[in-house]
Amino acid sequence: MGHLDPETEPLDLSVVDARRILSHVQREWPLEACGLLGGIGRRVLAVYPTRNALASPVRYRVHPEDLVRVILDLEARGWALVGIYHSHPHGPPVPSATDIAEAYYPDAVYVIAAPVRGEWRLRAFHIQDGRVREVPLRLRDEADASAPPPGDP
Ligand SMILES: [Zn+2]
């Protein structure tokens, strides 16, 4: 019918933004870190690091103040919430049972950062109604692909 297949449409992320996510989650280690991805369709145009309101090594919840700040910024730019990222400080790089149960945004891609044999990796998933499908990551190597982040918390 011409609409995107939410399960196979790749997540389009610049290398700069991938590094931004990885540096945020490594900074927060050993706690789980989380953040939001804004853009258009599956193309990420900005990374928004947010506070983990639970400050936990095994759980995350995007801080409600940060959520509001990001949503307002997305609206001002005419962008959508493309994805939600968080880390698994001790792996594995796949959604946990809690992540699956609490995936309230079926239109968003869930990105998980985790160390795999000592090297941090990103993987992306579409989660809906308890069903998980991996979303391919398409890294674009652009010098300046995204707007500057609206400020780290
Ligand atoms: Zn998780």
Side-chain angles (χ1 to χ4, degrees):
M1 303 295 281
H3 70 138
L4 299 178
D5 181 342
E7 295 177 353
T8 57
E9 175 70 13
L11 184 70
D12 182 346
L13 183 70
S14 74
V15 171
V16 171
D17 282 341
R19 286 201 197 106
R20 201 168 272 150
I21 295 169
L22 291 173
S23 92
H24 174 217
V25 302
Q26 290 174 55
R27 208 159 60 227
E28 295 298 322
W29 194 93
L31 299 180
E32 283 201 13
C34 55
L36 303 171
L37 306 173
I40 297 167
R42 283 268 166 98
R43 187 178 175 88
V44 176
L45 299 172
V47 172
Y48 301 87
T50 60
R51 289 169 288 174
N52 178 355
L54 302 180
S56 158
V58 293
R59 294 287 304 276
Y60 81 98
R61 182 171 302 143
V62 173
H63 194 290
E65 288 172 14
D66 295 347
L67 182 61
V68 169
R69 171 176 61 83
V70 172
I71 295 299
L72 290 176
D73 192 71
L74 295 178
E75 283 178 0
R77 294 170 191 255
W79 291 350
L81 179 65
V82 176
I84 299 165
Y85 70 87
H86 75 284
S87 61
H88 286 172
H90 301 286
V94 295
S96 67
T98 303
D99 293 334
I100 296 166
E102 297 183 354
Y104 302 126
Y105 297 90
D107 292 334
V109 173
Y110 287 84
V111 174
I112 296 179
V116 178
R117 289 182 291 279
E119 192 181 342
W120 283 84
R121 303 277 177 159
L122 293 176
R123 286 174 71 180
F125 302 88
H126 177 255
I127 307 174
Q128 186 164 23
D129 301 328
R131 199 152 151 271
V132 178
R133 287 301 189 79
E134 185 149 17
V135 170
L137 266 180
R138 189 162 58 205
L139 290 179
R140 60 178 195 275
D141 197 359
E142 294 173 14
D144 184 19
S146 76
D152 283 47

